[in-house]
Amino acid sequence: MRELGSAARAGLACAAGLAQAASLAWPASGVPLWWLQVLSLAVLAGLLRSTAHPFRAAVLAGLFATAWLCGTFWWLFTSLHTYGGLPAPLAVLAVLGLALFLASYYAIAGGLYVLLAPASRLGAALLFAGLWLLAELARNTLWTGFPWGAGGYAHVDGPLAALARLVGVYGIGFVAALLAMLLASLRAADLQRTTAWLLLGTLAAGLVAASGLRYCALGGCNRPAIAEHAPLDLALLQGNIPQDEKFQVGSGVPTALAWYARQLAAASAALVVAPETALPLLPAQLPPGYLEAIARRYAKGDQAALIGIPLGDMKAGYTNSVLGFAPGQDVPYRYDKHHLVPFGEFIPPLFRWFTEMMDIPLGDFARGPLGQPAFLWRGERIAPNICYEDLFGDEIAAQFRSPEHSPTVLLNLSNIGWFGTGLAIDQHLTISRMRTLEFERPMVRATNTGATAVIDYRGQVTHLLPRATRGVLLAQVQGRSGAVTPFAWWAARWRLVPLWILGAVCLLAGLWARRRPRNHHLKPLA
């Protein structure tokens, strides 16, 4: 790639970034493509290997990441402009500005790689993978985190998916980055034949080993420490209330209240679930007796319900919450969303002027505590999370510290009608599938517009309601208890610290390798 001009290299970096975005959910089908993720990242790796100047490398990595992120969450424009009322040019600039800000982590990683890369190709690959891992972790953690579209999600159906139970989505991303740089090294013109075969063997062995682990994860290996429960009957409600009407008292609100009341009254399943803010009013704003009627309905018999609703008041603060009703309860179960969406659910310091330009209701919630108790029903410990909380596997892991009390079923209640009915739904479904692989627990999803689904512990969608339709998904879920996965065990105790250490060790190893005398039989990287 050395012979390419600056403009061509920049264009190639942008094209590879868009391919990276497409790998997370192919536009024509919504299916993730693991091989495209590795190949697109290998293109960037090749560009970095042929770049001598750290600043130019940072620009290339930044262009790649900006194109990747814009291509991943472009649908934020819909929420900002169509539903938020922000003028289109400002909405475009907001999406681009967010992508540029987050891309700065990867730009720093690219610049440091060229600055520090050793002559050893394996050392260079480890350095690249470590820096890429640190960039992904920074995006997950800093400024409350916005890790939507992390590269590891593209591997939910690939051979590296088996690593989820060991190292999580970011560990998968680390291995993918390592493979990408090894692949870029394999294509280098000056690569010696013996080294080429060594790298090719490493790639092949890694994929074969990952495929073997994947076979075990899909049931080919017995794990007697896990107990599978009897199926639990579900009724998952998908109201499909148009987002521009959802909070309108003259249209969406009465429609939602009437439809969900009918479904909650008529359901015969053991567990009925209504999505995030299914009831779009505070309890004090609901029609007299509305919530009390639901409580009476589920106070007797053998059924329970979980319902998304905002709670609180001006004095105590507002929360994005889930209420649970079941026989024998003195008070309803309550879960308050912990990880809030910037601008949508809380206003970052110095940005109130920005939110005042938009017409988005309920924009300043209070945060619930981490590791809240599960909802106990029919022998299951059902752990709710709301909307994009399921991006943060390390926070979900807080409930897995004790195998005896860890969740048997994960539950996501969402309303991503803010973002249309396209790829955002596919991407979110893939995110939930990755969580089931990390924890080896099924995930139930109840949403306003999609994807309302049941995912088994192997990441396979077993039941799915068509998106953008109003209906009820009748399904079953089979909870699991017993031993927790290695990822759940260490993430429950140390969050993502072990991966931060892995990235730092790779960085230090790269520095150490650079200090060693160079092999004169290998040409410098740049």
Side-chain angles (χ1 to χ4, degrees):
M1 298 183 183
R2 297 175 189 274
E3 64 277 6
L4 295 177
S6 297
R9 292 162 68 84
L12 186 57
C14 290
L18 291 175
Q20 180 90 173
S23 74
L24 301 168
W26 186 250
S29 62
V31 174
L33 301 175
W34 66 271
W35 54 268
L36 183 59
Q37 193 273 333
V38 174
L39 287 178
S40 59
L41 191 55
V43 172
L44 174 65
L47 288 171
L48 296 181
R49 281 183 55 83
S50 61
T51 302
H53 302 286
F55 177 77
R56 293 176 185 173
V59 170
L60 290 172
L63 289 173
F64 173 93
T66 301
W68 159 30
L69 297 173
C70 283
T72 300
F73 51 66
W74 56 266
W75 33 259
L76 286 174
F77 173 87
T78 303
S79 64
L80 295 173
H81 173 63
T82 305
Y83 300 125
L86 196 67
L90 289 180
V92 170
L93 288 175
V95 175
L96 179 60
L98 176 62
L100 285 168
F101 176 75
L102 298 175
S104 65
Y105 305 143
Y106 303 94
I108 293 171
L112 285 176
Y113 170 76
V114 170
L115 179 66
L116 303 175
S120 162
R121 283 165 173 81
L122 180 58
L126 285 171
L127 175 65
F128 176 75
L131 288 169
W132 207 254
L133 172 63
L134 292 174
E136 291 272 62
L137 292 173
R139 184 155 74 96
N140 174 85
T141 306
L142 300 182
W143 309 103
T144 77
F146 189 71
W148 193 287
Y153 288 112
H155 295 266
V156 71
D157 289 318
L160 297 184
L163 299 176
R165 69 184 307 271
L166 303 176
V167 293
V169 67
Y170 298 114
I172 291 175
F174 168 81
V175 175
L178 181 65
L179 293 175
M181 183 53 79
L182 289 175
L183 187 60
S185 300
L186 186 64
R187 291 171 55 87
D190 62 342
L191 198 61
Q192 295 180 357
R193 184 180 299 273
T194 55
T195 308
W197 281 110
L198 177 61
L199 292 178
L200 184 60
T202 301
L203 285 169
L207 291 175
V208 169
S211 297
L213 289 171
R214 179 65 167 161
Y215 169 74
C216 289
L218 292 174
C221 302
N222 292 324
R223 291 181 186 160
I226 292 291
E228 294 191 344
H229 300 185
L232 178 68
D233 291 330
L234 303 169
L236 308 179
L237 312 184
Q238 181 174 286
N240 195 41
I241 309 299
Q243 192 59 47
D244 54 353
E245 300 178 9
K246 183 174 174 63
F247 296 100
Q248 299 299 318
V249 295
S251 54
V253 170
T255 300
L257 295 182
W259 189 81
Y260 283 113
R262 287 196 302 269
Q263 302 308 319
L264 287 163
S268 59
L271 179 63
V272 187
V273 186
E276 177 187 14
T277 58
L279 307 184
L281 299 177
L282 296 164
Q285 299 170 324
L286 290 169
Y290 184 95
L291 206 57
E292 291 76 8
I294 295 174
R296 286 194 302 271
R297 163 71 174 80
Y298 290 94
K300 299 178 181 180
D302 198 21
Q303 292 178 270
L306 289 163
I307 304 168
I309 182 174
L311 297 177
D313 53 45
M314 185 173 295
K315 182 178 180 180
Y318 302 100
T319 57
N320 190 354
S321 301
V322 177
L323 284 181
F325 301 93
Q329 287 182 335
D330 294 328
V331 295
Y333 168 83
R334 175 172 174 173
Y335 172 82
D336 297 329
K337 187 176 183 181
H338 169 73
H339 205 118
L340 303 178
V341 180
F343 303 107
E345 292 175 323
F346 80 95
I347 303 172
L350 307 180
F351 279 94
R352 186 168 294 276
W353 64 271
F354 181 76
T355 59
E356 289 176 350
M357 296 178 64
M358 298 184 289
D359 184 25
I360 296 180
L362 301 174
D364 211 359
F365 284 112
R367 189 186 306 272
L370 186 65
Q372 298 171 60
F375 179 69
L376 306 180
W377 178 240
R378 291 279 193 98
E380 305 291 352
R381 295 183 293 273
I382 302 169
N385 58 80
I386 298 176
C387 195
Y388 96 142
E389 277 191 308
D390 65 345
L391 267 79
F392 300 92
D394 58 313
E395 295 182 357
I396 293 176
Q399 300 180 76
F400 284 82
R401 192 174 183 89
S402 167
E404 296 78 16
H405 300 97
S406 63
T408 61
V409 176
L410 302 175
L411 172 64
N412 179 263
L413 298 90
S414 288
N415 171 37
I416 57 173
W418 296 105
F419 313 121
T421 58
L423 288 178
I425 291 177
D426 299 306
Q427 293 167 355
H428 201 194
L429 181 61
T430 296
I431 289 165
S432 293
R433 292 179 62 201
M434 181 60 74
R435 296 291 87 80
T436 68
L437 294 176
E438 289 175 344
F439 298 105
E440 292 187 348
R441 297 292 190 269
M443 173 86 81
V444 174
R445 290 174 48 85
T447 71
N448 179 37
T449 57
T452 297
V454 177
I455 310 165
D456 68 16
Y457 74 96
R458 300 168 298 181
Q460 304 301 304
V461 178
T462 61
H463 304 79
L464 180 66
L465 194 65
R467 70 186 64 186
T469 59
R470 185 171 297 166
V472 180
L473 180 62
L474 300 178
Q476 290 184 327
V477 65
Q478 192 167 14
R480 287 162 59 86
S481 60
V484 301
T485 63
F487 171 80
W489 186 89
W490 62 256
R493 289 158 175 79
W494 306 305
R495 302 285 292 271
L496 297 178
V497 170
L499 293 179
W500 282 99
I501 293 174
L502 173 61
V505 167
C506 289
L507 176 59
L508 293 174
L511 290 171
W512 177 79
R514 186 174 177 83
R515 290 172 60 87
R516 297 180 65 195
R518 291 177 179 257
N519 186 335
H520 295 292
H521 296 290
L522 294 176
K523 296 180 180 180
L525 292 177

